[in-house]
Amino acid sequence: MARKFFVGGNWKCNGTTNSAHELVDKLNKADLPSSVEVVVAPAFIHIPLVQSNLRREIAVSAQNCWIKGNGAYTGEVSADMLEDIKVPWVILGHSERRALLNESEETVAEKTQYALSKGLSVILCVGETLEQRESNQTFEVISKQVQPVASKVKDWSKIVVAYEPVWAIGTGKVATKEQAQEVHKQLRDWLSKNVSSEVSQKTRIIYGGSVSAKNSDELATQPDVDGFLVGGASLKPEFVDVIKSGSKSS
């Protein structure tokens, strides 16, 4: 089953008004393949600027949202607010939030459930640490991260799963194409067994972890790699080359 290649750019806690304008300008001028779905996730404060100036075929995502609706939750941004300003995507469960802010698997699942209930699409991040990989616990960890979502969510049509090995994020290390394919295939098999065969075949599973123009072409050839979630490289001109690698996918 053909799954449209997906490339997300996570700008994280970076940027100024000027740099956001520059990134948008580069994307607006780029010759991008129509076969690739592109989403960028600026910091909350830059979302209106990016929305107002970015070409229509590239969607905008938030990098997080609150677990519930509006209320007395100082400093939080709810899915209701994102829906109100027509932000269609949100990244949830990123390893930086799991590690630095102690977001649990259950918290991520509840956030996902609520975001979906408000009509948002979710980039759901999962991944293991280096210690866990070296202890042969990779898929045990990932299945524990996905299970709570599966117990709360019935409709997966608005979920993209991002496999991001923690040991590869921002380190310059990257999973080999074989390592990425192995985990993506295990994830797809898990979805088939625990959710449904249809969800398994339709859900896009993307890779994140030091993705760059140097490795994206090779990674894109793998049958179960349906795209990328790009961090640092999404702030650079090479992000366009990463997007174009989607036209080389298997």
Side-chain angles (χ1 to χ4, degrees):
M1 179 178 294
R3 295 178 292 270
K4 188 168 186 177
F5 206 82
F6 182 101
V7 176
N10 180 10
W11 296 2
K12 305 191 179 184
C13 186
N14 290 298
T16 63
T17 298
N18 286 340
S19 67
H21 271 297
E22 290 171 0
L23 288 168
V24 167
D25 187 56
K26 285 183 173 65
L27 288 170
N28 286 344
K29 292 177 179 177
D31 182 17
L32 302 179
S34 60
S35 58
V36 179
E37 182 175 0
V38 183
V39 174
V40 295
F44 279 128
I45 198 168
H46 295 138
I47 284 177
L49 180 159
V50 174
Q51 277 184 310
S52 299
N53 294 279
L54 188 62
R55 59 202 281 184
R56 294 300 97 189
E57 62 266 37
I58 299 178
V60 175
S61 173
Q63 298 176 19
N64 176 53
C65 67
W66 177 232
I67 198 168
K68 299 178 180 179
N70 298 338
Y73 309 115
T74 302
E76 293 294 341
V77 174
S78 69
D80 307 65
M81 293 174 175
L82 297 177
E83 189 274 334
D84 181 58
I85 63 170
K86 297 179 171 51
V87 172
W89 286 89
V90 62
I91 298 171
L92 295 175
H94 194 281
S95 64
E96 289 158 3
R97 296 194 61 85
R98 291 181 190 264
L100 299 175
L101 297 170
N102 298 313
E103 288 193 358
S104 68
E105 283 83 357
E106 189 64 26
T107 294
V108 174
E110 289 184 22
K111 283 187 172 189
T112 301
Q113 181 184 40
Y114 190 78
L116 292 171
S117 77
K118 293 301 169 182
L120 301 186
S121 295
V122 173
I123 301 171
L124 174 66
C125 300
V126 299
E128 83 285 10
T129 64
L130 181 59
E131 181 182 4
Q132 290 164 338
R133 171 165 280 275
E134 291 178 341
S135 300
N136 296 315
Q137 295 178 315
T138 293
F139 203 70
E140 178 185 345
V141 170
I142 292 172
S143 62
K144 286 180 179 178
Q145 292 170 340
V146 180
Q147 179 62 59
V149 177
S151 69
K152 293 180 181 298
V153 172
K154 302 305 178 188
D155 183 2
W156 284 69
S157 62
K158 287 191 169 187
I159 296 178
V160 169
V161 179
Y163 168 55
E164 293 201 300
V166 179
W167 48 271
I169 298 174
T171 63
K173 298 179 181 178
V174 63
T176 64
K177 62 180 181 180
E178 292 82 9
Q179 287 173 323
Q181 169 60 23
E182 179 184 36
V183 176
H184 285 224
K185 178 65 164 58
Q186 287 176 323
L187 261 170
R188 201 171 303 286
D189 290 345
W190 188 95
L191 287 171
S192 180
K193 180 179 179 180
N194 294 277
V195 183
S196 74
S197 176
E198 181 180 13
V199 166
S200 170
Q201 290 305 307
K202 289 185 175 180
T203 299
R204 289 175 290 185
I205 303 174
I206 63 177
Y207 173 79
S210 296
V211 176
S212 69
K214 293 180 180 179
N215 54 44
S216 58
D217 281 0
E218 184 177 53
L219 287 163
T221 63
Q222 300 306 295
D224 288 297
V225 175
D226 302 317
F228 305 114
L229 184 57
V230 187
S234 69
L235 301 170
K236 303 173 183 177
E238 68 179 287
F239 184 54
V240 172
D241 295 321
V242 175
I243 294 170
K244 289 181 178 179
S245 69
S247 62
K248 302 177 178 67
S249 61
S250 60

